[in-house]
Amino acid sequence: DVKVTQSSRYLVKRTGEKVFLECVQDMDHENMFWYRQDPGLGLRLIYFSYDVKMKEKGDIPEGYSVSREKKERFSLILESASTNQTSMYLCASSQTGSGANVLTFGAGSRLTVL
Amino acid sequence: AQSVTQLDSHVSVSEGTPVLLRCNYSSSYSPSLFWYVQHPNKGLQLLLKYTSAATLVKGINGFEAEFKKSETSFHLTKPSAHMSDAAEYFCVVSTTGTASKLTFGTGTRLQVTL
């Protein structure tokens, strides 16, 4: 069964800490995405990547960065966590071409910043 | 520009009765439309998609949706609800072939009672 795996399901961090959220997919997908999910706001795109070492800002990139050193792995980095970054973070991937807008999601990482 | 509005934040039905989750969209071009489902503590899973072929789209688990251009709607239906359908449902619009241009609705939480 194909998968998008997010290594941490629940994290609790303190304000100012550096946070790494890891995502790995085993489908050989070119595209990978990080979304943030908040109640009443749906999903909002933080960053995405179409290829190794390539990244593009989404709708809410402020306070975040990403890294894609290998095709299968896409990391989200919070350089200095703040309480307003408490949220559910969802990683997704998709193939290129006609299937590019059909996403496969991970189970999510729920981050609490104290 | 594109947008999507899910008209109900919560819907409650009895098991065995029909389900209707409403979605309206706005798009400058011919859209692709999707419904995703998210069960508790899980990632999002694709239910069905519309990409300008048949206007009535059948998805998994007995769900279907009808694209109505004149009404700019893409409502999700199921003839008979099951307890396992209790989840959050997201309507999504895309007017390009790239996943970076997906716009998610704010979600509808479906409750199924005995």
Side-chain angles (χ1 to χ4, degrees):
Chain A
D1 192 19
V2 293
K3 275 186 178 177
V4 176
T5 303
Q6 295 182 232
S7 56
S8 301
R9 291 297 310 275
Y10 301 93
L11 302 94
V12 179
K13 298 292 181 181
R14 296 205 175 274
T15 301
E17 281 192 88
K18 191 169 186 176
V19 181
F20 292 89
L21 300 180
E22 303 286 339
C23 175
V24 177
Q25 52 95 3
D26 64 2
M27 295 167 284
D28 202 35
H29 282 174
E30 287 77 12
N31 306 324
M32 296 189 75
F33 308 86
W34 276 105
Y35 285 88
R36 172 175 171 161
Q37 181 180 12
D38 298 288
L41 296 178
L43 275 69
R44 294 177 290 168
L45 182 63
I46 305 172
Y47 268 97
F48 61 98
S49 170
Y50 289 140
D51 201 352
V52 175
K53 296 191 183 294
M54 176 272 180
K55 59 185 179 183
E56 294 283 347
K57 292 180 179 179
D59 299 319
I60 52 164
E62 296 78 18
Y64 304 95
S65 62
V66 290
S67 173
R68 193 170 182 195
E69 296 295 320
K70 294 185 178 182
K71 187 177 184 179
E72 67 271 18
R73 187 179 298 270
F74 193 37
S75 302
L76 180 68
I77 303 155
L78 288 67
E79 293 289 342
S80 178
S82 63
T83 55
N84 63 11
Q85 292 178 310
T86 291
S87 186
M88 170 71 88
Y89 291 88
L90 293 169
C91 177
S93 70
S94 71
Q95 60 191 30
T96 55
S98 60
N101 54 11
V102 177
L103 305 184
T104 300
F105 283 87
S109 298
R110 185 169 294 282
L111 172 66
T112 301
V113 183
L114 302 175
Chain B
Q2 62 191 30
S3 66
V4 60
T5 302
Q6 293 185 241
L7 298 168
D8 306 292
S9 59
H10 289 86
V11 170
S12 182
V13 301
S14 299
E15 190 174 34
T17 64
V19 176
L20 170 63
L21 305 183
R22 299 182 294 165
C23 173
N24 287 116
Y25 70 92
S26 172
S27 172
S28 302
Y29 303 98
S30 296
S32 294
L33 292 157
F34 309 81
W35 278 98
Y36 282 83
V37 60
Q38 184 180 32
H39 288 94
N41 299 314
K42 298 288 180 65
L44 279 71
Q45 179 187 15
L46 180 68
L47 266 182
L48 50 80
K49 64 177 180 178
Y50 165 78
T51 54
S52 76
T55 57
L56 183 62
V57 182
K58 294 189 183 298
I60 61 172
N61 300 332
F63 284 93
E64 62 182 35
E66 186 171 9
F67 173 71
K68 292 187 176 180
K69 186 175 181 179
S70 61
E71 299 176 10
T72 61
S73 70
F74 190 58
H75 301 334
L76 182 70
T77 61
K78 182 174 181 179
S80 176
H82 191 272
M83 294 297 290
S84 61
D85 295 327
E88 188 152 23
Y89 293 79
F90 293 92
C91 183
V92 184
V93 64
S94 170
T95 50
T96 70
T98 64
S100 61
K101 299 301 181 184
L102 295 182
T103 300
F104 285 77
T106 54
T108 298
R109 184 164 298 280
L110 175 65
Q111 181 181 16
V112 182
T113 58
L114 287 172

